[in-house]
Amino acid sequence: MWEADDRVLGRAVAIKVLHPHLAADPEFVTRFRAEAKAAARLSHQSIVAIYDTASEDGVEAIVMERIDGMTLRQYLDEFGPLSLDDAGDLVTQVADALGAAHAARIVHRDIKPGNIMLCPDRRVKVTDFGIAKALEADDHTAQGTMLGTAKYLAPEQVDGTPIDQRADIYSLGVVLYEVLTGRPPFAEENPSATALARLRVDPVPPRRLNGAIPPAVERVVMQALARDREHRFPTARAMRDALGAAIGDAGSIDLTTSGPVPVVAVPPTIAPGDEAAATEVVPYRRPMLGPVLMTLVMLGCLGLGIGLILATGVGRDFFERVRDTILGDDEPSGETGLLAPAAEPDPDGEADVEPGEAATGADEGDDSGDAEPTGAPGGDSHTIVEVTDFDPLGDGAERPDLIALATDGDPKTAWTSESYSNRALGNLKDGVGLVVQVGAEATLGELAVVSSTEGWAASVYAADAPAADLAGWGDVLDARVDISGDTTFDLRGVRASAVLLWITDLGDAPPSLRVEIAELTLS
């Protein structure tokens, strides 16, 4: 690993150089470059960015973002376990990074403290995406070879069965175990014995090593470390959410009893003899029930009083006048809700389309009911001739009655997915989508999406014709996670007539259990 300066772009970079025996293998170098390019497409705040590959005089290397910080391995070796809150913060950021990679069909395969960077501003960065995958051979792996670091391997990586994103979830579970207890779950006399141990036995429950770990947090750790991957969390997002809920239920508990563990960041230098002052252990205190109950009773009485007042005409008139005074209205609005905004007149005299109603795009008196096809604004737009719902893992339909709203030219109306019990589509399926067709095959540049949903995630695919299942769409062209409303997907100039927007996370903004797609345009 080398530090360097990019003289063309004027930025600091890091360069990872392949070992000579790997750089001398032409087949491996070809795979390595392909995987580096795939990893370079990942764009996430918790992933170390890959800028370029380099090949000169038999030396093969990748050029990446340089991080000023330290690895989690260095931090643990120097300071020991993390606090519960810091462990949750770290795992949340790593899980977000893995979620972005998995959406792009990249499995890290070597999640460990040495590949997790800690930045001074509390950001966490995961590095070495794509490199471990490049070592696989058709998976490209020599018979009997185990890839990754023995302490953090998933059981399926040890016994040679095909792996998926749940291998990364197991490794992240090992990291979580270690940052809470100070040791990994398996540490035998040699790497082979350490790797094989996880095939025979379950790890010692972490509460036996640190009794301050809440039971709910222990359950998250043990589920992530399930030997049968079918019993693990299905996605990195699911593990992150479960851990967040477990920590929230436990309150703020400091697991450390000594040593400086102030934050998940590059720690300050501590003078010898000052270790005891570096960390203050705050015991968890039960809330005082008396004041809490008294407050709830008072709030209940206040709400009852307001309700009785509003039940009378005089009361409603009073609150309407208060509302109008606050909002600066000259005339009472006639609304009966407390501080409800007045309705704005429709400039064209027609009623707005309500959620659940199909927008036809036809003028009054036109009974054809056909919406005018739309395309992306500008001269390079493609006319969208049809949009259909895509639900191969469910009942085959995902609100087809609202499809027209995704291309009606009105960002105030929207197609929405069905409502689910959680943002992971109720853990019922991996995703739902919309298929956008442009008729004849064309060169596609971008898919622009207008949405009011926060924190959603999706991938895009393209094909000559719509496929019946996700496998028929081929490789992911672009993927986005934690999307804040509108976004644009790069279609990379492919020639196709159909594009699939595959939604994998419903997001966290109202409405929290469904995604809204107001407009789709292709260019």
Side-chain angles (χ1 to χ4, degrees), residues 244-470:
I247 292 175
D249 290 341
S252 181
I253 304 174
D254 195 331
L255 300 180
T256 61
T257 57
S258 63
V261 192
V263 293
V264 181
V266 179
T269 301
I270 300 171
D274 289 344
E275 290 83 356
T279 303
E280 179 185 1
V281 180
V282 181
Y284 176 67
R285 294 183 176 88
R286 295 180 180 274
M288 293 180 291
L289 295 180
V292 172
L293 290 175
M294 182 61 71
T295 300
L296 291 175
V297 170
M298 294 176 64
L299 290 175
C301 293
L302 179 60
L304 179 60
I306 293 175
L308 291 174
I309 292 173
L310 289 175
T312 68
V314 174
R316 288 195 297 271
D317 182 67
F318 169 75
F319 280 105
E320 288 170 11
R321 292 179 182 276
V322 172
R323 188 273 318 280
D324 294 334
T325 300
I326 293 173
L327 298 180
D329 294 339
D330 294 331
E331 297 293 336
S333 66
E335 298 284 348
T336 59
L338 181 61
L339 299 184
E344 295 182 2
D346 191 340
D348 58 10
E350 297 180 359
D352 292 333
V353 177
E354 296 293 334
E357 295 182 3
T360 65
D363 293 332
E364 185 176 1
D366 181 359
D367 57 2
S368 65
D370 294 330
E372 184 70 16
T374 62
D380 295 329
S381 64
H382 294 296
T383 298
I384 296 176
V385 299
E386 186 177 10
V387 180
T388 54
D389 53 324
F390 185 69
D391 185 27
L393 305 177
D395 59 5
E398 193 75 14
R399 298 309 304 269
D401 54 313
L402 302 180
I403 288 292
L405 303 184
T407 54
D408 65 350
D410 184 358
K412 295 181 181 179
T413 64
W415 170 88
T416 72
S417 67
E418 295 176 1
S419 294
Y420 294 86
S421 61
N422 60 44
R423 63 189 303 161
L425 294 97
N427 298 323
L428 301 174
K429 45 194 171 184
D430 294 333
V432 296
L434 292 175
V435 176
V436 183
Q437 298 185 65
V438 295
E441 183 180 281
T443 300
L444 305 177
E446 294 179 338
L447 174 66
V449 181
V450 176
S451 174
S452 61
T453 305
E454 295 288 333
W456 62 291
S459 305
V460 291
Y461 304 76
D464 295 336
D469 55 25
L470 189 62

Side-chain angles (χ1 to χ4, degrees), residues 15-159:
I15 300 178
K16 181 180 281 286
V17 180
L18 286 180
H19 289 293
H21 72 281
L22 295 175
D25 183 348
E27 183 180 356
F28 172 77
V29 169
T30 299
R31 293 195 303 268
F32 164 75
R33 292 173 181 170
E35 292 300 338
K37 290 178 181 178
R41 293 202 299 267
L42 295 176
S43 178
H44 192 272
Q45 65 269 21
S46 294
I47 295 178
V48 174
I50 295 178
Y51 296 144
D52 201 357
T53 61
S55 178
E56 186 173 352
D57 297 329
V59 176
E60 296 291 333
I62 58 174
V63 183
M64 63 183 69
E65 175 185 8
R66 191 166 85 189
I67 304 298
D68 293 322
M70 66 192 308
T71 67
L72 177 60
R73 175 77 279 144
Q74 293 169 318
Y75 188 96
L76 294 175
D77 289 345
E78 187 170 358
F79 300 110
L82 303 180
S83 70
L84 182 60
D85 287 340
D86 286 343
D89 186 23
L90 180 138
V91 170
T92 291
Q93 295 187 57
V94 175
D96 286 344
L98 291 176
H102 297 164
R105 295 186 173 182
I106 294 178
V107 181
H108 190 289
R109 303 166 192 251
D110 196 20
I111 291 294
K112 60 183 180 181
N115 283 336
I116 299 173
M117 299 293 299
L118 310 179
C119 305
D121 58 359
R122 294 185 64 90
R123 287 180 303 136
V124 174
K125 291 270 192 175
V126 181
T127 188
D128 275 5
F129 269 103
I131 297 175
K133 185 178 180 182
L135 292 171
E136 290 211 52
D138 286 309
D139 244 79
H140 306 318
T141 305
Q143 186 67 32
T145 300
M146 292 183 295
L147 299 176
T149 305
K151 293 179 182 178
Y152 305 93
L153 289 174
E156 56 268 31
Q157 290 177 279
V158 177
D159 63 19

Side-chain angles (χ1 to χ4, degrees), residues 208-278:
R208 295 186 188 178
L209 304 177
N210 187 341
I213 298 174
V217 173
E218 182 181 75
R219 287 193 291 271
V220 172
V221 176
M222 296 303 287
Q223 182 174 347
L225 294 178
R227 280 186 283 168
D228 184 350
R229 60 185 171 187
E230 296 298 328
H231 297 159
R232 293 177 211 151
F233 296 101
T235 63
R237 167 73 72 173
M239 179 179 174
R240 165 201 155 152
D241 290 348
L243 180 61
I247 292 175
D249 290 341
S252 181
I253 304 174
D254 195 331
L255 300 180
T256 61
T257 57
S258 63
V261 192
V263 293
V264 181
V266 179
T269 301
I270 300 171
D274 289 344
E275 290 83 356

